[in-house]
Amino acid sequence: MKRLICFLKSDVAKIIASLIFFISAVIFEQSISELGAIALYISALLIAGGGVFISAVRGILRRDLLDEKFLMSIASVGAMIIGEWREGVAVMIFFLVGETFEHYAVRKSRASIRSLMDICPDEACLIGGNGEETVLDAEDVAVGSTIIIRPGERVPIDSVIIKGSADVDTSSMTGESIPVAASVGDELSSGFIVTNGLLYARTVREAGDSAAARILALVEDANESKSAEESFITRFSHYYTPVVVIIALLVALVPPVFGLRSLADSVYTALTFLVISCPCALVISVPMAFFGGIGGAASKGILFKGGSVFSKVSSVHIAAFDKTGTLTNGKFIVSDIECFDIDRDRMMYLVSSAESLSNHPIADCLKNYSNKKTTPVSAKEYAGEGVEADIDGVICAVGNARLMQRFGVRLPEGIDLSDRILVAIDRTFNGVIRISDELKPEAGDAIKKLRSLGVEKALLLSGDRKEKVDKTAVDIGVDEAYGELSPEEKYNKLTRVISDQGCTMYVGDGINDSPSLAIADVGVAMGGVGQDSAIEAADLVIMTDNLMKIPQAILIARKTINISWQNIVFALGVKGIILILGLFGFANMWLAVFADVGVAVLAILNSMRALKAPRL
Amino acid sequence: MKIKYTITGLDCPNCAAKLASQMNDIEGIDSAKINFLTEKLTVETALEENAAYEALSKAAKSFSRDIKIEK
């Protein structure tokens, strides 16, 4: 019963009912009295157009005379007044059909965008102290609660695994399709899918602050900042509508004054003209394309922060890169070990143990070097120097020359000590460890791809030592490299590049380079769901570490910009042609309604193409 | 204060822009933005929460019966 009422209220039901009255009026026009036929036409009109008329009256009340529904109403009523009964009803029915299609298309694109964005469940399953389970709204879960995530479920809130292990599909948050193994101690970002295991996790954030929520908020706000194309449209409709109204008045009044046409004919032409003038298709065409682009890019782990970013990304000429953490993995590997008067395994056992409590990036590679290690009795970290630890009574110091000086360790002469890790055991110098930062395997290809997409110059700006930076530059094929830059110098260098040349992109990992991200025409933050300041400063956020996403972002931007221009040209073109036809009396109401609603539907359908990100 | 609502029943981006500009004119509402595609209304307001909601609902209702604003 409820469904029946719903159906009767729907546009489809109105269209069918109105059509029945309309067709019977057309068939029986000759056989029944004129009054009867008119009654049938009016019934058909009221069924189809009742809602439209009410909206039109509301439009007049708020002095909005160029409302689409108001225009349709005067067109329809105007046609009836001059005796075009069929035309008047048909316009309304056709308009309703068009509206139904338009709503369907909008609904459909909203649904597909929503499914792309549907990356986080609203509910979380909590485990109480006695092991009982309660399902709660994710928003109501306090930080530090224990939640359970079953195979196939998505992680509702950012959390850390406390029990269990599983393969985790991170694709909706990072765009990476290969599942990652996760176990106790690993962080789970909201939006990850647990594929094959049962996980207990402790929440570390509230749902509203979790990664998925932050990303959704970003995408939702993205459309609010206006792009150049959008403001073009706004400017355009600003002049467009008044001009069209004036022309319509002239068309209605001038020919009859000079006795060229009957008033009825020219009023009809003017009405047609007004219907065509509705700016809805134009206004919908651009934001819809950008929205599709944002959704499509998000599904690849690329976040565009707003429509204006598309045009800038599509025309990047210069790309500047940070080195550590951006072009390199930011993970150090041990590349060479030299030891003196000590067994190599023994030394590395002591080093790994000494570093095991440290969180420094360099410590990561040292503590995992040796399989055998023990927890030190005590350990002390000296910022910027290194670590000293007591391992079963042996004092092991691992760090740079300054640390050695601190403990009065005598260093041998004739060894290049810069950029090396030195090891002293019981205050005696025992070894040198050389470490290096690994280049990402795709770095060279990404630069090549960028060049093929029209990037004229690639730069490397780094705080690292000059020789290293120059070597990296040669390895991946960038044009200019600058090393030993402080964050401030990096920023200054970038400012000069920007003022000199075309649209500049700066790619960084968001650590220490937020100012550079902000000043570049396009700031790209790599691999950062966690780095809020970087996300804030950047225009483009790449959620994985993969550099190939940058050329892909350019392709997505170009496709989206193309689609938005296609929509503008198509909408303006069709309207323009039909307007001119209408001006000379060749276009009837039917064509006019198509120019309004039909064009909008086609523009929406075209925009849906932007949802599909182009391949590299 | 920044408040976010879900707004449904809008016909087209044009109408959304018109309604947003009317909401902008409400006293106490500093800015109102409507994202037609995500159906989100974001307002900056000095008004207290309930008062803001009342004022916005009234504006929406006078615009069209079909438009609904939810928290």
Short mmCIF file of all heavy atoms in Angstrom, two decimals, chain A residues 135-166:
data_model
loop_
_atom_site.label_atom_id
_atom_site.label_comp_id
_atom_site.label_asym_id
_atom_site.label_seq_id
_atom_site.Cartn_x
_atom_site.Cartn_y
_atom_site.Cartn_z
N VAL A 135 27.50 -3.86 19.54
CA VAL A 135 27.67 -3.09 18.32
C VAL A 135 27.26 -1.65 18.60
O VAL A 135 26.16 -1.39 19.10
CB VAL A 135 26.82 -3.69 17.18
CG1 VAL A 135 26.91 -2.80 15.95
CG2 VAL A 135 27.31 -5.10 16.86
N LEU A 136 28.16 -0.73 18.32
CA LEU A 136 27.93 0.68 18.61
C LEU A 136 28.12 1.51 17.34
O LEU A 136 28.84 1.08 16.44
CB LEU A 136 28.95 1.18 19.63
CG LEU A 136 28.63 1.17 21.11
CD1 LEU A 136 29.77 1.81 21.88
CD2 LEU A 136 27.34 1.93 21.37
N ASP A 137 27.53 2.71 17.31
CA ASP A 137 27.87 3.66 16.27
C ASP A 137 29.34 4.00 16.41
O ASP A 137 29.81 4.25 17.52
CB ASP A 137 27.05 4.95 16.48
CG ASP A 137 25.84 4.97 15.59
OD1 ASP A 137 25.61 3.94 14.93
OD2 ASP A 137 25.15 5.99 15.55
N ALA A 138 30.05 3.97 15.29
CA ALA A 138 31.50 4.23 15.36
C ALA A 138 31.77 5.56 16.06
O ALA A 138 32.76 5.71 16.77
CB ALA A 138 32.10 4.23 13.96
N GLU A 139 30.87 6.51 15.86
CA GLU A 139 31.06 7.84 16.46
C GLU A 139 31.07 7.81 17.99
O GLU A 139 31.64 8.69 18.63
CB GLU A 139 29.95 8.79 16.01
CG GLU A 139 30.15 9.27 14.59
CD GLU A 139 29.03 10.19 14.13
OE1 GLU A 139 28.26 10.64 14.99
OE2 GLU A 139 28.92 10.43 12.93
N ASP A 140 30.41 6.80 18.57
CA ASP A 140 30.30 6.75 20.03
C ASP A 140 31.42 5.96 20.70
O ASP A 140 31.40 5.77 21.91
CB ASP A 140 28.94 6.13 20.42
CG ASP A 140 27.80 6.98 19.93
OD1 ASP A 140 28.01 8.19 19.78
OD2 ASP A 140 26.71 6.43 19.68
N VAL A 141 32.36 5.47 19.88
CA VAL A 141 33.41 4.63 20.46
C VAL A 141 34.53 5.51 21.02
O VAL A 141 35.07 6.36 20.32
CB VAL A 141 33.98 3.66 19.40
CG1 VAL A 141 35.13 2.86 19.97
CG2 VAL A 141 32.87 2.73 18.91
N ALA A 142 34.84 5.31 22.30
CA ALA A 142 35.88 6.12 22.94
C ALA A 142 37.26 5.64 22.51
O ALA A 142 37.45 4.46 22.19
CB ALA A 142 35.74 6.04 24.46
N VAL A 143 38.23 6.54 22.54
CA VAL A 143 39.61 6.18 22.23
C VAL A 143 40.09 5.18 23.27
O VAL A 143 39.81 5.33 24.47
CB VAL A 143 40.51 7.44 22.25
CG1 VAL A 143 41.97 7.05 22.06
CG2 VAL A 143 40.08 8.41 21.17
N GLY A 144 40.78 4.14 22.83
CA GLY A 144 41.28 3.14 23.76
C GLY A 144 40.35 1.95 23.92
O GLY A 144 40.65 1.04 24.69
N SER A 145 39.21 1.95 23.23
CA SER A 145 38.30 0.79 23.30
C SER A 145 38.89 -0.35 22.48
O SER A 145 39.69 -0.15 21.57
CB SER A 145 36.93 1.14 22.72
OG SER A 145 36.44 2.32 23.26
N THR A 146 38.44 -1.55 22.81
CA THR A 146 38.88 -2.71 22.03
C THR A 146 37.77 -3.09 21.06
O THR A 146 36.62 -3.26 21.46
CB THR A 146 39.18 -3.89 22.96
OG1 THR A 146 40.16 -3.46 23.89
CG2 THR A 146 39.69 -5.07 22.17
N ILE A 147 38.13 -3.18 19.78
CA ILE A 147 37.13 -3.56 18.79
C ILE A 147 37.56 -4.85 18.12
O ILE A 147 38.73 -5.23 18.16
CB ILE A 147 36.92 -2.46 17.72
CG1 ILE A 147 38.25 -2.08 17.06
CG2 ILE A 147 36.28 -1.24 18.34
CD1 ILE A 147 38.07 -1.17 15.86
N ILE A 148 36.59 -5.51 17.52
CA ILE A 148 36.89 -6.75 16.83
C ILE A 148 36.54 -6.56 15.35
O ILE A 148 35.52 -5.95 15.02
CB ILE A 148 36.13 -7.93 17.46
CG1 ILE A 148 36.41 -9.23 16.72
CG2 ILE A 148 34.63 -7.69 17.48
CD1 ILE A 148 35.92 -10.44 17.50
N ILE A 149 37.43 -7.02 14.47
CA ILE A 149 37.17 -6.90 13.04
C ILE A 149 37.28 -8.29 12.43
O ILE A 149 38.30 -8.96 12.57
CB ILE A 149 38.18 -5.94 12.36
CG1 ILE A 149 38.19 -4.60 13.09
CG2 ILE A 149 37.80 -5.72 10.91
CD1 ILE A 149 39.57 -4.06 13.31
N ARG A 150 36.20 -8.70 11.79
CA ARG A 150 36.14 -10.07 11.27
C ARG A 150 36.56 -10.09 9.81
O ARG A 150 36.58 -9.04 9.15
CB ARG A 150 34.71 -10.59 11.39
CG ARG A 150 34.25 -10.70 12.83
CD ARG A 150 32.99 -11.53 12.95
NE ARG A 150 32.80 -11.91 14.34
CZ ARG A 150 32.35 -11.09 15.27
NH1 ARG A 150 32.02 -9.85 14.96
NH2 ARG A 150 32.21 -11.50 16.51
N PRO A 151 36.88 -11.29 9.29
CA PRO A 151 37.28 -11.38 7.88
C PRO A 151 36.21 -10.75 6.99
O PRO A 151 35.01 -10.97 7.19
CB PRO A 151 37.38 -12.88 7.63
CG PRO A 151 37.53 -13.50 8.97
CD PRO A 151 36.91 -12.59 9.96
N GLY A 152 36.63 -9.97 6.02
CA GLY A 152 35.70 -9.35 5.09
C GLY A 152 35.19 -8.01 5.56
O GLY A 152 34.58 -7.28 4.78
N GLU A 153 35.43 -7.67 6.81
CA GLU A 153 34.92 -6.39 7.30
C GLU A 153 35.95 -5.28 7.11
O GLU A 153 37.13 -5.53 7.00
CB GLU A 153 34.59 -6.49 8.80
CG GLU A 153 33.33 -7.26 9.06
CD GLU A 153 32.99 -7.34 10.55
OE1 GLU A 153 33.80 -6.93 11.39
OE2 GLU A 153 31.91 -7.83 10.84
N ARG A 154 35.41 -4.06 7.12
CA ARG A 154 36.30 -2.91 7.05
C ARG A 154 36.61 -2.40 8.44
O ARG A 154 35.78 -2.50 9.34
CB ARG A 154 35.64 -1.78 6.26
CG ARG A 154 35.71 -1.97 4.77
CD ARG A 154 35.01 -0.82 4.09
NE ARG A 154 34.87 -1.08 2.67
CZ ARG A 154 35.76 -0.71 1.76
NH1 ARG A 154 36.84 -0.07 2.12
NH2 ARG A 154 35.55 -0.97 0.50
N VAL A 155 37.79 -1.83 8.59
CA VAL A 155 38.18 -1.25 9.87
C VAL A 155 37.39 0.05 10.05
O VAL A 155 37.46 0.93 9.20
CB VAL A 155 39.69 -0.95 9.89
CG1 VAL A 155 40.10 -0.31 11.19
CG2 VAL A 155 40.47 -2.22 9.62
N PRO A 156 36.61 0.17 11.14
CA PRO A 156 35.77 1.37 11.29
C PRO A 156 36.52 2.59 11.82
O PRO A 156 36.15 3.72 11.53
CB PRO A 156 34.69 0.93 12.28
CG PRO A 156 35.29 -0.18 13.05
CD PRO A 156 36.34 -0.82 12.19
N ILE A 157 37.56 2.36 12.63
CA ILE A 157 38.24 3.45 13.33
C ILE A 157 39.73 3.16 13.31
O ILE A 157 40.14 2.00 13.39
CB ILE A 157 37.76 3.52 14.80
CG1 ILE A 157 36.24 3.65 14.86
CG2 ILE A 157 38.42 4.68 15.55
CD1 ILE A 157 35.66 3.42 16.23
N ASP A 158 40.55 4.20 13.22
CA ASP A 158 42.00 4.00 13.28
C ASP A 158 42.35 3.28 14.57
O ASP A 158 41.92 3.69 15.65
CB ASP A 158 42.72 5.35 13.26
CG ASP A 158 42.63 6.03 11.90
OD1 ASP A 158 41.98 5.45 11.02
OD2 ASP A 158 43.20 7.12 11.74
N SER A 159 43.14 2.22 14.47
CA SER A 159 43.43 1.43 15.66
C SER A 159 44.73 0.65 15.50
O SER A 159 45.32 0.62 14.43
CB SER A 159 42.26 0.49 15.95
OG SER A 159 41.90 -0.21 14.78
N VAL A 160 45.15 0.01 16.59
CA VAL A 160 46.37 -0.79 16.59
C VAL A 160 46.00 -2.23 16.96
O VAL A 160 45.21 -2.45 17.88
CB VAL A 160 47.36 -0.25 17.64
CG1 VAL A 160 48.55 -1.17 17.79
CG2 VAL A 160 47.83 1.14 17.25
N ILE A 161 46.55 -3.19 16.23
CA ILE A 161 46.20 -4.59 16.47
C ILE A 161 46.77 -5.04 17.82
O ILE A 161 47.94 -4.81 18.11
CB ILE A 161 46.76 -5.49 15.37
CG1 ILE A 161 46.25 -5.03 14.01
CG2 ILE A 161 46.39 -6.96 15.61
CD1 ILE A 161 46.81 -5.82 12.85
N ILE A 162 45.93 -5.66 18.65
CA ILE A 162 46.44 -6.20 19.91
C ILE A 162 46.39 -7.72 19.94
O ILE A 162 47.01 -8.36 20.77
CB ILE A 162 45.70 -5.62 21.15
CG1 ILE A 162 44.19 -5.77 20.99
CG2 ILE A 162 46.06 -4.18 21.37
CD1 ILE A 162 43.42 -5.32 22.23
N LYS A 163 45.64 -8.32 19.02
CA LYS A 163 45.60 -9.77 18.97
C LYS A 163 45.21 -10.21 17.56
O LYS A 163 44.31 -9.60 16.95
CB LYS A 163 44.57 -10.28 19.98
CG LYS A 163 44.68 -11.76 20.30
CD LYS A 163 43.77 -12.10 21.47
CE LYS A 163 43.01 -13.37 21.22
NZ LYS A 163 41.89 -13.54 22.14
N GLY A 164 45.88 -11.24 17.06
CA GLY A 164 45.52 -11.78 15.77
C GLY A 164 46.40 -11.24 14.66
O GLY A 164 47.16 -10.29 14.85
N SER A 165 46.31 -11.88 13.49
CA SER A 165 47.03 -11.37 12.33
C SER A 165 46.21 -11.70 11.10
O SER A 165 45.41 -12.63 11.10
CB SER A 165 48.42 -11.99 12.25
OG SER A 165 48.29 -13.38 12.04
N ALA A 166 46.40 -10.91 10.05
CA ALA A 166 45.59 -11.11 8.86
C ALA A 166 46.23 -10.37 7.70
O ALA A 166 47.09 -9.51 7.89
CB ALA A 166 44.19 -10.57 9.09
#
